[in-house]
Amino acid sequence: MSEEELNADGWAAIDEALEQLYGEQEQKHYGTAIPYMLGGPDPLNGISVYEVREPLPHWHFITYGFSELYEKESEDPEHSGYGFELTFRLFKSAAEDEPPAWALNLLQNLGRYVFNSGNVFRSGDYMDANGPIALEADTPLTALAFIADPLLPAIDTPNGRVEFIQLAGITNDELLAMQVWNTLGVLAEMKEHLPLYMTDLQRDSLLKLPAIAEAVRLGSESEGSNTGALYVDQLAWENPADDSVHTLQLGAKQAEIVGKLLRGRLLKGRTLTLAGPEISVSFETGDAPGFEIRGELIILKLDEAAGAALSEIFRPSAGLYSLPGWPELAVRIVPTHITDNEGTIVKTIG
């Protein structure tokens, strides 16, 4: 059966939403030659790109493929496929006639992440890219934030509901602010300087603006952190043979954010869970410091003094640290190596 003969109601619903926004404007569409299910490299069926002039010249990317474009296949009647499509608004220079290939590749890479992991993106999520979001570009934007597309509301299709989730490039310190407070709160404070949450590779961190930095500080102090769980790839726990000193290990890159999260969570009486390749560590408030081992889960009970001490130790500086007043626990911070796509170390932290 040819593609023209397929029931493409899901695809048509997205087209209709875009037609309501852009009218008869001709978009650029980048389709996938070989379907992913047949061994093709790209999981998304296609990406449409519109050239937009207001409020600033930019490219507007919309994916086709996270939702069910053809026949209904999933057993979830409420959502079409993963329940969303991604969008991306990228500042357009006067010299550009075509949208940059790196942006198309970024969206396909996010598709591979979702298809391989089953994890979905929702408004309020964030993702560390561990390097420039545009490979080989000189940009301070090294992470992504996700928010509902401000001009594309969710739609109901014959295959279920589809949200349009926009990604926005952010700097590392903006990512840290979102982790210690929440993504939507930080984006709201930056909105005046990010029209339609547009990504500009050349912009600097907006936290350098005193008014935004102060608003974020007050928000995180008053509300605490919404980040209750964090994946930490260098997380480890060592039990000594003589049961004397147990050692918690973290990588230098994530040590600082864990320290800030501890303050943002424990001060509000909330737990923080770190998930690693082999173990999970849960930090909870308690009357006295102590720990409990339940198989692959380690529960650390922290009183105010222990929480403050750990927050001070968790910083991007490699070493073995002891805790005042808690001789049974030590913390080892190990260097984190940042590699490129070929596995070459390009940066070492700690």
Side-chain angles (χ1 to χ4, degrees):
M1 182 180 293
S2 68
E3 184 171 304
E4 289 75 11
E5 295 174 307
L6 289 174
N7 178 349
D9 287 344
W11 191 302
I14 298 173
D15 283 346
E16 182 179 348
L18 293 171
E19 185 177 338
Q20 291 179 11
L21 180 60
Y22 291 117
E24 297 300 320
Q25 178 183 338
E26 187 69 24
Q27 80 272 32
K28 300 176 183 290
H29 188 79
Y30 300 86
T32 300
I34 303 175
Y36 197 58
M37 65 182 64
L38 297 181
D42 297 325
L44 301 177
N45 297 60
I47 301 171
S48 282
V49 188
Y50 290 82
E51 184 176 345
V52 189
R53 296 181 180 179
E54 299 293 340
L56 293 172
H58 65 278
W59 301 108
H60 189 197
F61 299 75
I62 302 93
T63 66
Y64 288 71
F66 291 104
S67 62
E68 292 167 299
L69 303 174
Y70 304 107
E71 300 288 346
K72 179 69 177 176
E73 296 181 359
S74 72
E75 296 180 358
D76 181 354
E78 295 185 9
H79 302 95
S80 176
Y82 290 107
F84 70 93
E85 293 290 352
L86 288 178
T87 74
F88 184 41
R89 285 185 168 84
L90 178 65
F91 177 78
K92 176 186 177 298
S93 70
E96 285 181 331
D97 294 323
E98 296 288 334
W102 71 261
L104 300 169
N105 291 333
L106 172 63
L107 290 166
Q108 290 287 4
N109 284 335
L110 292 174
R112 293 183 187 93
Y113 166 78
V114 171
F115 279 57
N116 292 333
S117 69
N119 298 329
V120 300
F121 295 115
R122 293 287 180 257
S123 179
D125 288 346
Y126 53 75
M127 171 179 277
D128 190 348
N130 292 315
I133 61 171
L135 291 179
E136 301 179 2
D138 184 16
T139 175
L141 305 184
T142 58
L144 299 168
F146 297 83
I147 189 170
D149 189 299
L151 297 182
L152 275 177
I155 59 175
D156 291 315
T157 79
N159 294 328
R161 190 169 179 81
V162 177
E163 296 180 275
F164 293 98
I165 304 298
Q166 181 174 319
L167 53 134
I170 56 174
T171 64
N172 185 62
D173 60 343
E174 291 166 353
L175 170 66
L176 291 176
M178 292 175 184
Q179 291 173 317
V180 299
W181 185 19
N182 67 76
T183 300
L184 300 183
V186 175
L187 285 177
E189 297 299 336
M190 303 194 307
K191 185 177 181 180
E192 180 182 347
H193 302 272
L194 289 179
L196 296 180
Y197 306 110
M198 192 184 308
T199 294
D200 181 356
L201 293 181
Q202 303 308 313
R203 79 166 178 87
D204 206 347
S205 169
L206 293 176
L207 291 177
K208 292 184 178 181
L209 300 177
I212 294 180
E214 178 65 7
V216 169
R217 184 187 69 80
L218 292 175
S220 61
E221 286 185 358
S222 63
E223 298 177 15
S225 172
N226 275 9
T227 303
L230 188 70
Y231 181 77
V232 180
D233 56 3
Q234 292 178 281
L235 185 68
W237 176 266
E238 299 175 11
N239 291 311
D242 58 0
D243 247 6
S244 54
V245 180
H246 296 73
T247 304
L248 172 66
Q249 176 184 293
L250 291 175
K253 183 179 188 300
Q254 292 179 302
E256 181 178 13
I257 181 57
V258 171
K260 291 182 176 181
L261 284 176
L262 269 181
R263 290 190 290 273
R265 298 290 295 181
L266 295 182
L267 287 177
K268 301 298 180 181
R270 304 169 184 166
T271 62
L272 172 66
T273 299
L274 307 181
E278 298 181 356
I279 64 161
S280 294
V281 177
S282 181
F283 299 91
E284 302 178 359
T285 56
D287 296 330
F291 56 83
E292 180 182 349
I293 301 175
R294 300 179 185 174
E296 297 177 351
L297 172 64
I298 293 90
I299 300 174
L300 297 181
K301 295 285 188 178
L302 308 176
D303 60 9
E304 186 174 345
L310 274 178
S311 296
E312 290 299 318
I313 286 174
F314 289 150
R315 57 185 184 270
S317 181
L320 181 63
Y321 303 91
S322 58
L323 278 80
W326 197 356
E328 297 85 8
L329 182 68
V331 174
R332 177 178 290 112
I333 307 296
V334 296
T336 299
H337 302 298
I338 306 299
T339 61
D340 59 20
N341 285 346
E342 298 177 351
T344 302
I345 297 175
V346 296
K347 182 180 180 181
T348 296
I349 301 173

